[in-house]
Amino acid sequence: MYKHRNLVSLLLADFIFSISGGILWTYATINAYTLGGNFLEIVFVDALPGMCYILSRIWGSISDFYQRKKPFMVLGFLLGGIALSLTGFSKNVSELLLVILVINFLYAIASPSFYAALGLEKGGMAFGLVQLVGELGYSIGAYLVGPISANLGNIITYAIASLLTCISSITIMIGYKERERKIRIKEGLGEWIKTSILFRLRAKKEFKSLLAAMFISWISGYWVS
C-alpha cells in the first residue's frame, strides 16, 4: 500500500538533498581557497569528511536493532542541515573543515537507514533510480553555485544548501510510512552493536568480495579526482 508513496518520498528527498550537496561540495573547495587554504588543506575539505561515515556502521546496527528507519533519516538530515547553516561563518580553513566534519558525522546517522529503506521498496530498481535523481540533483546544485555565490554571497550560499537539506528531511517526515517490525531480536542492544564496533560483517562471502572491490575502485576514483 505504501510502497509507491515511500519510494517517491525517498527519491524526492534524495533529489533535494543532492542539490544541496552539489552546492556544498562545489563551493566548499572554492571557499577554502578564498580563505587562504593551501592545496593540502583544500584536499582535506573534500577528503576527510568521508572518514565520518565510519560511524554509519554503528548507526545502521542501531537502526536494525530497533527496526526503525524514519527517525534516523529525519534526525540525521535535519541536524546536518542545521549544522550546514554555520558553514558560511567560517573565518579560516580549520573552522570550515571542522563544521563540514560535524555535518558529515550527522549525515552518517541518516545514510544507512536511507539506503536500507530504499532497498525495501523496489530493490535494484530503486538504487538505479536514486543514482539517477542524485546525479541530476548534484549537477543542478553545482550549476547554481556560480550565480548564487556571485549575487548573494558566502553566507546565503550555504544557507540555501542548509534549507534544502532540511526540506529533504521534512519530505521524509511527511511522505515516508514506517513499516511494522517483523523480527524480534533476542540480543541486547550493547551486544548487538558490539559486532559493529569490532567490524564483524554479517554478510555472505560474495557480498564481502563486492565490498572489497568497491573499496579499491573508490580509492582509484578519488585518487584521480
Side-chain angles (χ1 to χ4, degrees), residues 64-84:
D64 287 343
F65 180 83
Y66 289 109
Q67 298 182 51
R68 299 288 304 277
K69 304 290 184 290
K70 186 172 182 176
F72 295 92
M73 290 189 286
V74 171
L75 188 65
F77 288 135
L78 184 61
L79 292 179
I82 293 171
L84 178 50

Side-chain angles (χ1 to χ4, degrees), residues 14-224:
D14 187 70
F15 176 70
I16 298 169
F17 177 74
S18 296
I19 296 175
S20 171
I23 295 172
L24 170 62
W25 296 114
T26 305
Y27 188 68
T29 49
I30 299 170
N31 191 199
Y33 179 79
T34 59
L35 288 172
N38 57 44
F39 286 124
L40 183 59
E41 289 172 326
I42 293 171
V43 169
F44 279 167
V45 169
D46 191 43
L48 286 185
M51 296 298 295
C52 301
Y53 284 88
I54 195 169
L55 293 181
S56 65
R57 179 92 166 89
I58 297 174
W59 287 112
S61 289
I62 297 173
S63 172
D64 287 343
F65 180 83
Y66 289 109
Q67 298 182 51
R68 299 288 304 277
K69 304 290 184 290
K70 186 172 182 176
F72 295 92
M73 290 189 286
V74 171
L75 188 65
F77 288 135
L78 184 61
L79 292 179
I82 293 171
L84 178 50
S85 66
L86 303 175
T87 315
F89 298 97
S90 303
K91 295 181 174 61
N92 53 59
V93 179
S94 296
E95 290 182 4
L96 177 66
L97 181 57
L98 178 61
V99 178
I100 288 177
L101 286 173
V102 171
I103 292 167
N104 281 272
F105 272 119
L106 295 169
Y107 285 169
I109 299 173
S111 180
S113 292
F114 176 83
Y115 285 104
L118 196 68
L120 291 173
E121 304 311 322
K122 289 284 186 178
M125 177 184 175
F127 289 116
L129 288 172
V130 82
Q131 190 74 19
L132 173 64
V133 300
E135 293 299 331
L136 179 60
Y138 192 95
S139 298
I140 292 173
Y143 178 79
L144 292 175
V145 162
I148 290 175
S149 60
N151 294 292
L152 300 175
N154 186 59
I155 293 176
I156 300 300
T157 300
Y158 286 118
I160 291 173
S162 169
L163 178 62
L164 288 169
T165 301
C166 291
I167 291 174
S168 71
S169 175
I170 294 169
T171 301
I172 294 174
M173 186 188 302
I174 296 173
Y176 186 80
K177 178 68 175 179
E178 189 78 79
R179 294 169 178 267
E180 294 181 2
R181 297 184 183 187
K182 293 183 178 180
I183 302 172
R184 285 289 176 185
I185 296 173
K186 297 179 180 179
E187 301 173 63
L189 177 60
E191 186 65 28
W192 179 258
I193 66 174
K194 183 179 178 181
T195 55
S196 300
I197 298 173
L198 297 176
F199 285 93
R200 293 174 185 167
L201 186 60
R202 297 184 180 97
K204 294 181 180 179
K205 181 181 178 180
E206 294 81 3
F207 185 63
K208 292 178 181 179
S209 298
L210 175 63
L211 290 178
M214 290 172 62
F215 178 71
I216 295 170
S217 67
W218 277 109
I219 288 177
S220 64
Y222 274 107
W223 187 290
V224 174

